[in-house]
Amino acid sequence: FKAVGVDGKEYSLTKTTNDAKATVVCFTCTRCPVPVAYEDRFIEFAEKYKEKGVKFVAINVNTSEDLEAMKQRAEEKGFSFPYTYDASGDSARAFGARVTPHLFLLDGSGELAYEGAFDDNMTSPTKFYLADAVDAVLDGKAPAVAKTRAIGCGIRPKRN
């Protein structure tokens, strides 16, 4: 992917995964109530796993949103991870992302290790799919659960 961050920097998959033990690519947005409900958990996760060499990047591809609204949201919430905008929508198509939030975990060699939901419940989770998958990858193992169904608002990228 190639995207512009709310910090004005350009991001790419290569730049994001460089020197990472694992990378989480999170397709999200500022308007859907599902990813908004997860924002605090994303922040907490990114902070916790940053110390372990895991990078977290959020990508917004919705044509109904803009970088200015994303900047405002990132400032309000204090995002500690790159929040980027891919106006082309190519990243969502390449990953196969369909909803927000839809998460993809790449291991240290850039191979897909997990795809799907952050956890099993927007308000009271009991299963922590992404954290469990990251822990397995950091331990050099394949995640016990490699794919779950991501639930959220449909992604609306630019049409080619």
Side-chain angles (χ1 to χ4, degrees):
F1 68 85
K2 288 187 179 182
V4 177
V6 296
D7 58 4
K9 297 178 183 176
E10 294 208 5
Y11 290 85
S12 67
L13 186 58
T14 305
K15 181 179 180 180
T16 303
T17 59
N18 189 29
D19 298 330
K21 292 181 181 176
T23 302
V24 175
V25 177
C26 173
F27 288 88
T28 190
C29 65
T30 59
R31 294 184 180 164
C32 173
V34 180
V36 168
Y38 274 94
E39 287 174 339
D40 290 335
R41 281 185 259 179
F42 293 159
I43 293 165
E44 183 180 322
F45 175 91
E47 284 299 311
K48 176 182 177 182
Y49 283 93
K50 183 165 122 178
E51 300 295 321
K52 298 178 180 186
V54 177
K55 293 186 179 179
F56 186 99
V57 61
I59 304 174
N60 187 333
V61 299
N62 287 337
T63 57
S64 62
E65 299 188 40
D66 62 33
L67 199 53
E68 197 53 46
M70 292 171 56
K71 284 179 187 178
Q72 185 176 14
R73 187 69 183 166
E75 285 178 24
E76 286 172 7
K77 294 300 293 184
F79 289 170
S80 58
F81 50 82
Y83 187 26
T84 66
Y85 186 63
D86 172 12
S88 72
D90 290 344
S91 58
R93 284 185 282 281
F95 275 88
R98 301 198 182 287
V99 298
T100 58
H102 198 160
L103 297 109
F104 298 83
L105 170 63
L106 307 175
D107 65 18
S109 61
E111 296 294 318
L112 182 64
Y114 170 78
E115 170 190 348
F118 187 80
D119 55 34
D120 69 336
N121 190 295
M122 189 169 79
T123 55
S124 301
T126 59
K127 295 179 184 174
F128 303 92
Y129 303 126
L130 182 65
D132 291 347
V134 170
D135 289 340
V137 166
L138 292 177
D139 286 341
K141 300 174 184 171
V145 176
K147 189 170 185 173
T148 60
R149 183 171 174 245
I151 297 172
C153 301
I155 288 178
R156 293 181 179 82
K158 179 181 175 182
R159 293 182 184 222
N160 283 344

